[in-house]
Amino acid sequence: MAGVGTFIRLILRRDRVKLPVWLLVTVLSLVAMVPLLKETYGDSATLHTLYQTFALNPAGLFLTGPMDAPSFGALMTIETTLWWGLLIAFMNTLFVVRHTRQNEETGAQELLLSGRAHRASGLVAALVVAFGVDVLLALGIGAGLHMVGAPELWSVESAWLHGITLGLFGFVWAAIAALVVQLVESARSANGLLAGLIGTAFVVRGIGDFMGSTSANGLHEPTVVSWLSPFGWLQAARSLTAPEWWPLLVSLGFVAVAVPLAFWLLGARDVGAGLLPARIGRARAKQWLATPLGLTWKLQKNIFIGWCAGVVAMAVIVGMLVPEMSRVFESSESAKAMIMTMGGNGALIPTFLSAMLMITVLMVVAYTVQGITRLRAEESSGRAENLLATRLSRFKWLGLHAAVVLAGGAVMLALCGFVLGSLVAVTSDISVNVVEYTLAGLSYFPVLALFVGLYVLFFGLLPRAAGLVVWAYFGLVVFMSWIAPLLQLDQWMMNLSPLAHVASAPSEAIRLEPLLVLGALSLVSVATGTVAWRNRNLQS
Amino acid sequence: MTDNKEIISCQKLTKTFGSVKALDEFDMTVRAGEVHGFLGPNGAGKSTTIRVLLGLLKKTRGTATLFGKDPWKDAVELHKKLAYVPGDVNFWPNLTGGEIIDILGRLRGGLDEKRRTHLLECFELDPTKKFRTYSKGNRQKVALVAALSSDVPLYILDEPTSGLDPLMEQVFQTEIQKLKGAGKTVLLSSHILSEVEALCDRVTIIRDGKTVADYTLAELQKEHESLEALFLSKYEEK
């Protein structure tokens, strides 16, 4: 097809750093998990304890999937498969959107297609490169797991099946993205829609696992609901425990249908247009919109609503799992042992809820980061220039964005504490104080402020690096929250995460001192960053 | 308003980005009530000058004043007296043209409803469409309508007609004549020489960040046969 070669070279040139880095990090971090987990949990006594705990733990089922056997392969599966799956899904969808819809939106596609190029060549090239990267990923993971684990921890077949399953999972999401970019006009909507689909697919699989049952051969069988989700297909291969090749056919079948469908849709629409028509809007701005605060809210609204829905859904799900869980805890000593390792000291349910609250808080932090990084997007696109040439001051422009993001974050924190507390109160016989839970949620507010502070600091001093720095720090904090308790890292490393300093309310009493320190740190950063912003050029 | 009050003044204005000199001791004076043409090849420093005058970029050396004040220090105060059309028109893709016009109008301290209606009609702009669906010319019109419906003493227009068709170009010229009649000051950066000849009282030509010519239109007509001849000679001379 004319032009495909050129498009592929263009993509490889644009992403010459991003793709190799992403590939290396994904493969190496997954392979590195093997020795790390083995050192802490490798002996068979520990594996048996974990197995008994997880086999009965509905929250675990929901978040990580079932533990199939008291084997290291099963542990590796619950600790890594879905999380690396999420990483692969996001990488593939962001990549395909970037090289298809985003190109159309900026008009670059139009120019390229006016040359000697078939109109489908852009999509072909994006998919070829995405699939190529997924193949390399499959080979890397297969070879890596083969080298570090076979045949002691799992068979050679398992190692390669795992690699291939994860690679094919990438194919599936690239194909879904290829479909979605035909439907909507803007890259932002496409990315938003795809993130929503990934989240939904994750939750649907969780529900399938949660409602499933243990079969005669000791394996946990999810209900048919899991088959609606690509994450369900990913798990069904059970690559590292009881390998099955046939689930690959489901993924392959899906790709074989979705990709031609995407090309058919592409053929049925104009370049630059979506299949869902752009709606006509208002001829006049509403009163509230034509104020600095109203405009800022409008620009932040969609980010807020998306994340708020996610956070509330998460709180509802966790809340509904609690009655089930309290039954399990009463009957199982090992479950008690496990929950104690989550950092609790007393009552089990509050300790568990505190841990879940912290996970939900990480979602709120992600919202905060996404919201505040709009500052730079507004500046580099030139949209801020229009506003800053009016009587809106730089100080107010920045302050309003920070205030709206932080207020949104506070609402979400209060909501997730409130919803969690209320559901536990309604669905179980555990007595909870809803106000206490709401305050527990709000006690994480200084963490949000710290992230805003860090971003504003870099936005003032090194604007082009600001987004990267704050997302990298977020990655570190997530990593610390999820993996550090497993790996028993040194305290100084743990201390890099603000969450290490905040008391895990409501099981612990809220400690004011660390919150004030975090608040003060963020104030200093915001002040420094704002002064620097006031004194620098606008940069595209 | 035919006094000689200086509205814009640049003296030995220098702006560097790293080792690149975007403006090199650039001089320009715009007086009250004047429509001032601002010409120069691509990349000569026109937009940089305008951004310094708006307080968006910080000058490296020299002086730049608007209404006698420093645009870097008194940005917000000065912005109350001006309306700006940027060279690259980029607004929020999910807002409509009408919404954007209202937002900018309100942020400039209110817009003249009559003028808004009149301008939308003359420029034949549909305000109910989302910004992302407008063509280049229509995007330009959104910025123009927003700026021209504000009642301010100074209009700073950076290549405002680069995407307009000849009919709309006529509408634009009529509107600028009206502003001139009302005693407003306009700084008009442009590549369209006929537009500059029709509208401007005075022109400044910039090349490589330096002032290479500064004439009233009367002087110009005396010394050169046409603006185009002057323009080409100044652009090409080394």
Side-chain angles (χ1 to χ4, degrees):
Chain A
M1 190 185 287
V4 173
T6 316
F7 268 97
I8 290 177
R9 279 195 298 277
L10 176 66
I11 291 173
L12 293 177
R13 175 67 179 75
R14 283 178 71 197
D15 285 351
R16 65 193 181 285
V17 178
K18 208 184 269 182
L19 285 178
V21 166
W22 183 84
L23 199 57
L24 276 176
V25 167
T26 311
V27 172
L28 291 181
S29 61
L30 181 63
V31 173
M33 286 299 288
V34 177
L36 289 175
L37 283 174
K38 197 164 182 301
E39 199 181 301
T40 326
Y41 295 101
D43 64 295
S44 81
T46 315
L47 286 172
H48 271 93
T49 317
L50 280 173
Y51 172 61
Q52 281 160 10
T53 319
F54 266 96
L56 294 167
N57 180 352
L61 272 179
F62 186 86
L63 277 178
T64 65
M67 186 160 175
D68 277 334
S71 68
F72 186 76
L75 176 72
M76 184 73 182
T77 305
I78 59 167
E79 290 296 345
T80 62
T81 306
L82 291 175
W83 304 117
W84 264 263
L86 278 176
L87 203 63
I88 292 167
F90 273 107
M91 183 272 163
N92 274 278
T93 54
L94 288 171
F95 175 85
V96 170
V97 172
R98 174 172 152 83
H99 291 290
T100 54
R101 182 52 75 176
Q102 197 179 336
N103 262 354
E104 285 187 53
E105 203 181 7
T106 56
Q109 194 81 343
E110 199 172 306
L111 189 61
L112 293 166
L113 288 183
S114 70
R116 280 191 206 176
H118 189 279
R119 71 194 306 274
S121 49
L123 183 60
V124 174
L127 285 177
V128 165
V129 178
F131 288 171
V133 171
D134 289 329
V135 166
L136 290 177
L137 182 84
L139 293 176
I141 291 175
L145 294 183
H146 182 166
M147 280 191 298
V148 297
E152 304 84 34
L153 302 174
W154 41 63
S155 65
V156 173
E157 181 197 2
S158 279
W160 286 95
L161 176 61
H162 198 56
I164 293 170
T165 307
L166 284 168
L168 197 55
F169 186 69
F171 275 48
V172 169
W173 284 104
I176 294 175
L179 278 174
V180 167
V181 294
Q182 311 308 325
L183 302 180
V184 291
E185 276 188 11
S186 79
R188 259 165 52 95
S189 318
N191 282 328
L193 202 57
L194 283 163
L197 282 175
I198 293 173
T200 311
F202 190 89
V203 170
V204 165
R205 186 239 22 109
I207 294 171
D209 273 334
F210 187 62
M211 298 189 336
S213 54
T214 308
S215 68
N217 57 5
L219 295 178
H220 181 87
E221 297 291 346
T223 58
V224 74
V225 176
S226 282
W227 287 102
L228 297 174
S229 160
F231 285 95
W233 313 339
L234 173 63
Q235 271 183 335
R238 299 181 197 275
S239 350
L240 299 177
T241 51
E244 293 277 6
W245 288 82
W246 61 266
L248 294 184
L249 292 176
V250 179
S251 305
L252 275 176
F254 178 85
V255 174
V257 173
V259 169
L261 185 61
F263 280 103
W264 183 76
L265 291 174
L266 176 71
R269 68 176 179 86
D270 301 333
V271 173
L275 285 171
L276 309 174
R279 279 168 301 171
I280 285 201
R282 297 173 185 284
R284 302 301 308 250
K286 288 188 177 171
Q287 281 292 322
W288 62 266
L289 178 58
T291 60
L293 177 62
L295 177 64
T296 311
W297 164 241
K298 171 87 181 172
L299 299 180
Q300 293 284 352
K301 193 178 67 177
N302 287 349
I303 304 175
F304 173 78
I305 291 175
W307 281 104
C308 196
V311 164
V312 170
M314 184 78 182
V316 168
I317 289 163
V318 172
M320 294 205 303
L321 294 180
V322 165
E324 175 72 14
M325 216 170 322
S326 65
R327 271 195 295 283
V328 176
F329 285 143
E330 276 162 23
S331 59
S332 160
E333 278 306 311
S334 52
K336 284 183 190 168
M338 186 198 71
I339 206 79
M340 293 300 222
T341 64
M342 285 175 155
N345 44 10
L348 295 176
I349 294 294
T351 308
F352 175 77
L353 285 176
S354 298
M356 291 320 252
L357 187 61
M358 201 166 90
I359 293 176
T360 321
V361 165
L362 284 175
M363 291 171 72
V364 183
V365 175
Y367 150 76
T368 309
V369 174
Q370 203 194 338
I372 198 69
T373 47
R374 266 223 91 155
L375 282 179
R376 186 61 197 141
E378 289 293 295
E379 185 195 1
S380 63
S381 65
R383 292 189 290 257
E385 179 173 325
N386 294 302
L387 295 178
L388 296 174
T390 68
R391 55 179 72 189
L392 180 63
S393 70
R394 288 188 182 207
F395 183 71
K396 194 168 174 189
W397 176 79
L398 183 144
L400 280 173
H401 273 279
V404 167
V405 168
L406 283 173
V411 168
M412 275 191 220
L413 287 177
L415 263 180
C416 77
F418 177 78
V419 170
L420 203 57
S422 309
L423 270 167
V424 174
V426 172
T427 60
S428 75
D429 45 10
I430 303 161
S431 70
V432 286
N433 182 346
V434 174
V435 176
E436 199 181 310
Y437 273 77
T438 310
L439 284 177
L442 280 173
S443 73
Y444 286 95
F445 184 76
V447 176
L448 307 188
L450 184 75
F451 272 88
V452 168
L454 182 70
Y455 182 78
V456 171
L457 180 67
F458 276 86
F459 179 72
L461 294 171
L462 276 174
R464 291 203 175 95
L468 187 70
V469 168
V470 73
W471 277 118
Y473 184 56
F474 174 70
L476 181 80
V477 170
V478 171
F479 180 76
M480 291 292 189
S481 317
W482 159 65
I483 204 99
L486 288 177
L487 301 183
Q488 288 148 13
L489 293 176
D490 290 346
Q491 192 58 39
W492 71 265
M493 281 180 80
M494 298 290 291
N495 285 344
L496 292 176
S497 164
L499 291 175
H501 306 283
V502 179
S504 46
S507 66
E508 296 173 28
I510 295 171
R511 287 192 304 270
L512 215 52
E513 194 186 328
L515 300 185
L516 292 177
V517 173
L518 288 177
L521 260 176
S522 92
L523 272 181
V524 172
S525 316
V526 167
T528 316
T530 308
V531 170
W533 157 238
R534 178 65 190 84
N535 284 296
R536 73 168 171 84
N537 297 324
L538 253 64
Q539 295 178 24
S540 58
Chain B
M1 278 207 9
T2 45
D3 56 18
N4 265 1
K5 213 175 99 189
E6 288 179 0
I7 301 290
I8 297 174
S9 164
C10 302
Q11 278 159 23
K12 301 203 171 208
L13 180 61
T14 302
K15 172 70 193 171
T16 57
F17 295 104
S19 58
V20 182
K21 251 189 191 170
L23 293 178
D24 186 4
E25 308 213 324
F26 171 71
D27 296 312
M28 176 170 75
T29 306
V30 178
R31 292 178 186 82
E34 190 172 85
V35 176
H36 194 107
F38 191 18
L39 309 179
N42 299 322
K46 298 190 293 293
S47 294
T48 303
T49 308
I50 289 176
R51 289 199 173 115
V52 170
L53 289 171
L54 288 168
L56 299 172
L57 300 179
K58 193 174 188 175
K59 66 177 191 233
T60 309
R61 274 189 305 281
T63 57
T65 58
L66 269 180
F67 299 98
K69 288 185 175 166
D70 180 351
W72 183 254
K73 284 189 190 134
D74 298 313
V76 173
E77 195 54 37
L78 292 172
H79 291 169
K80 291 179 181 171
K81 301 182 188 169
L82 64 86
Y84 166 54
V85 173
D88 278 324
V89 178
N90 196 355
F91 292 111
W92 306 275
N94 54 340
L95 297 186
T96 64
E99 285 176 322
I100 291 165
I101 291 167
D102 285 347
I103 289 167
L104 289 178
R106 284 282 297 276
L107 291 177
R108 289 192 185 117
L111 41 74
D112 183 333
E113 286 295 328
K114 263 199 204 144
R115 282 192 60 73
R116 184 188 188 277
T117 318
H118 166 77
L119 287 164
L120 280 177
E121 217 167 90
C122 295
F123 279 115
E124 296 172 14
L125 180 69
D126 177 357
T128 62
K129 283 185 162 179
K130 304 265 179 183
F131 186 74
R132 96 164 69 81
T133 65
Y134 285 124
S135 67
K136 178 174 164 57
N138 282 331
R139 290 177 181 207
Q140 202 91 46
K141 288 182 200 170
V142 172
L144 268 173
V145 173
L148 300 181
S149 5
S150 302
D151 185 18
V152 287
L154 173 64
Y155 296 84
I156 297 182
L157 314 176
D158 193 358
E159 298 184 27
T161 58
S162 56
L164 298 189
D165 65 51
L167 237 94
M168 293 301 135
E169 172 68 40
Q170 278 308 313
V171 174
F172 171 76
Q173 294 197 11
T174 312
E175 293 304 323
I176 298 300
Q177 295 288 7
K178 275 192 206 165
L179 293 181
K180 202 167 157 181
K184 310 286 190 185
T185 310
V186 180
L187 177 64
L188 173 65
S189 137
S190 178
H191 286 302
I192 302 172
L193 301 178
S194 61
E195 169 183 296
V196 174
E197 268 185 312
L199 295 174
C200 297
D201 308 302
R202 210 181 167 89
V203 293
T204 297
I205 299 182
I206 182 172
R207 213 193 64 187
D208 296 335
K210 296 188 181 83
T211 315
V212 291
D214 185 8
Y215 293 106
T216 64
L217 222 68
E219 286 167 354
L220 192 114
Q221 275 154 359
K222 225 189 286 169
E223 287 178 38
H224 297 269
E225 52 185 294
S226 75
L227 186 56
E228 191 175 351
L230 166 74
F231 201 66
L232 291 177
S233 74
K234 290 297 176 190
Y235 278 23
E236 280 164 3
E237 87 188 0
K238 287 276 153 11

